[in-house]
Amino acid sequence: MVSQVRGVQLARLLGQWHALPGRRRSPDYAALAGAVRGLLADGRLPLGVRLPAERDLAEALRISRTTVTAAYRELRDSGHLASRRGAGSWTMLPGTHRVAPNGLWIPLDDRDMLDLGVAALAAPPELLPAARAAAEDLPRYLNGAGYHPIGIIELREAVAQRYTERGLPTSPDQIMVTNGTQHALDLVLRLALAPGGGVLVESPSYPNALAALAARRARITTHGLAADADGWDADLLLGTLRQVRPRVGYLIPDFQNPTGHLMPAELRERLVATAHAVGTDLVIDESFVDLPLDGTDLPPPTASFDRHSRVVSIGGMSKPFWGGLRIGWIRSSAPQVQRLAAARVGVDMSSPVLDQLVAVHLLDVAPAIVAARRAQLAVQRDALLGALAARLPEWRVTMPRGGVTLWAELDGPISSALARAAEEVGVRLAPGPRFGLDGTLERFLRLPFTLPVADLVEAVGRIAAVRYDLDRAGQPRWREPSVIA
């Protein structure tokens, strides 16, 4: 069944879609077509959606119908729109594409792309020895069926020990192993959130978490984060909780994705107390908790302030170790873990035993791996900050105290346009609106510092070149079958 987007809805997503001022301004129809392409490419406008009628969109955008007609024609010519008389027009992608690591569609011929759309590191050298050791351990599991809905005991013990070392006493019965942090979030939402339930999230927030909430048809309320080092406004955050009383709150207090903010201990304590008072369950994403930089001291885990089983913590191996090792976990009360396991059996049964054994061996040498990661990320972060200061001094960037990303405030609402232009010169970006709702955050851009220094400097040089070209660019050129992810 084909869904339909109304004119006012598409207008909100399009935001600042007009051609940028310059010596050779692009026609409005070309700018509109390019903006729709961008929405398709970065996932904000799904495939197979029926677009509004030309008159409906023209009224919503307060432009002439002729402009919309010309834009739709250009989209059909580029393969991004299919139309049938009497049935309308619906979105599609041209040519042959593949799914990128961030779940978006990208061309097959992009191997030389400098990808700043994914915030993840390459595998550490310790992975291969861990995999060999895991293979040697595997035979003792082969006499059983291999299904462990809450995870093998060795891994649950190792994860529980990590929480205990952080000052949060945890038993293996409180740990459930999942296929990554995103899988952990999906399982928690299945249990905690009925379709249409209310959820409080930060803005900006992690795009795949927003997608998971959208799949649950959640009613989302946002708490806006400041672009400076302070991040959360404590009174506003807690006041919103009291007023909205959402069923679930999803937050990233440890080096928030994408801003890099670190929530102070006092606010964590007040947050948990307020959530208990209003009946809100907190899902705390700790994906980046292992990556403080510059000797930053971590506050106590948010769950350490929980006395009423209101906090569920999720984390995993993707950021400090390797994204290809699909191991995550949930920390909650033991009864809650059992309920999650019962819900999981109808989804995917359990995580692969071999991958769990690899994780056990990696966690045995985690201090050395994580120390090397922190040193590597600090160097790459400083290189990226230096390149931005030299080439794009008008942009405002606050140095993050940990994590793997910068959140840059641009010199105009050009994030989506810049992402489209950068893809033409071999740089993939994640524009700000991917991290918000309804086309907001066009003045922002997430820039991970997970690539080698030389690639980061090269990428900034290309971005700077296309940024200054935007103001004097003519009609955009769309290579076939190019899309942005």
Side-chain angles (χ1 to χ4, degrees):
M1 181 176 180
V2 178
S3 60
Q4 182 170 3
V5 59
R6 293 180 292 130
V8 292
Q9 294 171 320
L10 184 54
R12 284 200 303 269
L13 288 173
L14 287 167
Q16 298 286 340
W17 63 271
H18 289 87
L20 295 172
R23 290 180 293 182
R24 292 187 297 161
R25 178 185 172 94
S26 301
D28 276 350
Y29 78 87
L32 178 57
V36 172
R37 290 187 184 100
L39 293 177
L40 280 169
D42 65 28
R44 283 175 279 159
L45 186 61
L47 299 180
V49 169
R50 183 176 292 126
L51 293 188
E54 295 171 0
R55 186 185 304 276
D56 183 20
L57 183 57
E59 291 176 356
L61 295 176
R62 298 181 180 179
I63 59 177
S64 72
R65 183 176 176 180
T66 302
T67 299
V68 177
T69 300
Y72 278 17
R73 181 171 60 249
E74 182 166 316
L75 288 168
R76 284 192 293 271
D77 291 344
S78 64
H80 292 83
L81 198 64
S83 300
R84 189 167 63 245
R85 186 178 298 276
S89 301
W90 57 94
T91 56
M92 58 183 293
L93 287 179
T96 303
H97 294 72
R98 63 181 175 88
V99 179
N102 50 14
L104 305 181
W105 293 95
I106 61 174
L108 290 172
D109 59 347
D110 72 335
R111 294 184 179 180
D112 296 329
M113 187 75 65
L114 295 175
D115 194 347
L116 296 181
V118 177
L121 292 161
E126 294 85 350
L127 181 62
L128 279 178
R132 294 189 186 102
E136 294 177 359
D137 289 344
L138 186 60
R140 56 193 169 90
Y141 279 91
L142 298 181
N143 289 331
Y147 297 126
H148 302 269
I150 63 173
I152 63 174
I153 183 61
E154 296 99 318
L155 182 53
R156 290 189 288 116
E157 288 175 341
V159 174
Q161 180 62 30
R162 288 166 66 83
Y163 277 105
T164 300
E165 291 171 354
R166 291 173 55 202
L168 180 60
T170 302
S171 71
D173 290 341
Q174 293 177 267
I175 300 298
M176 178 182 189
V177 178
T178 64
N179 297 321
T181 309
Q182 185 70 15
H183 180 226
L185 175 61
D186 180 75
L187 288 173
V188 172
L189 293 179
R190 286 173 182 268
L191 197 64
L193 186 66
V199 180
L200 175 67
V201 302
E202 299 142 333
S203 180
S205 188
Y206 179 45
N208 289 341
L210 297 177
L213 293 171
R216 300 293 299 170
R217 301 195 300 278
R219 292 180 291 105
I220 299 177
T221 301
T222 59
H223 167 68
L225 296 179
D228 58 21
D230 294 333
W232 298 266
D233 182 317
D235 292 336
L236 182 58
L237 173 60
L238 302 181
T240 302
L241 264 178
R242 295 187 188 101
Q243 181 179 3
V244 178
R245 306 175 76 89
R247 181 67 188 86
V248 170
Y250 169 78
L251 298 102
I252 314 173
D254 298 291
F255 312 119
Q256 200 264 352
N257 184 7
T259 64
H261 293 318
L262 181 63
M263 183 182 287
E266 180 186 3
L267 179 53
R268 295 176 188 227
E269 184 173 12
R270 295 174 64 192
L271 174 66
V272 173
T274 303
H276 171 63
V278 302
T280 297
D281 289 334
L282 296 177
V283 181
I284 301 300
D285 189 335
E286 298 183 322
S287 295
F288 300 93
V289 73
D290 291 310
L291 298 175
L293 304 179
D294 307 323
T296 296
D297 292 327
L298 285 173
T302 305
S304 64
F305 301 105
D306 182 26
R307 301 295 181 269
H308 306 282
S309 298
R310 284 289 182 189
V311 176
V312 177
S313 304
I314 60 177
M317 308 283 287
S318 296
K319 301 306 178 183
F321 297 93
W322 187 47
L325 186 65
R326 301 310 303 148
I327 293 294
W329 49 76
I330 300 169
R331 183 205 179 271
S332 188
S333 66
Q336 181 84 327
V337 166
Q338 293 303 320
R339 288 192 291 270
L340 286 163
R344 177 185 191 167
V345 169
V347 179
D348 71 341
M349 301 297 288
S350 66
S351 298
V353 172
L354 183 58
D355 285 21
Q356 294 184 69
L357 290 171
V358 173
V360 170
H361 286 280
L362 285 175
L363 291 178
D364 281 343
V365 293
I369 296 175
V370 171
R373 293 300 212 190
R374 292 173 182 170
Q376 173 189 357
L377 287 169
V379 170
Q380 292 170 186
R381 179 203 59 189
D382 293 346
L384 179 57
L385 286 168
L388 290 171
R391 300 299 304 271
L392 292 159
E394 302 87 357
W395 291 10
R396 293 179 54 196
V397 183
T398 300
M399 179 185 293
R401 299 162 65 186
V404 300
T405 63
L406 304 179
W407 185 240
E409 183 176 357
L410 312 184
D411 54 336
I414 58 169
S415 184
S416 294
L418 183 64
R420 293 193 295 270
E423 202 266 351
E424 289 293 325
V425 295
V427 179
R428 177 162 294 117
L429 298 175
R434 283 200 58 214
F435 302 85
L437 301 174
D438 291 337
T440 58
L441 303 175
E442 275 288 2
R443 293 186 66 92
F444 294 90
L445 185 69
R446 189 190 75 171
L447 294 169
F449 42 90
T450 50
L451 295 181
V453 167
D455 288 345
L456 291 172
V457 173
E458 174 66 21
V460 171
R462 298 183 194 181
I463 293 168
V466 296
R467 168 63 193 102
Y468 296 124
D469 284 345
L470 280 178
D471 289 339
R472 57 180 184 271
Q475 182 172 337
R477 295 173 290 110
W478 295 95
R479 65 183 176 91
E480 186 77 14
S482 174
V483 294
I484 303 106

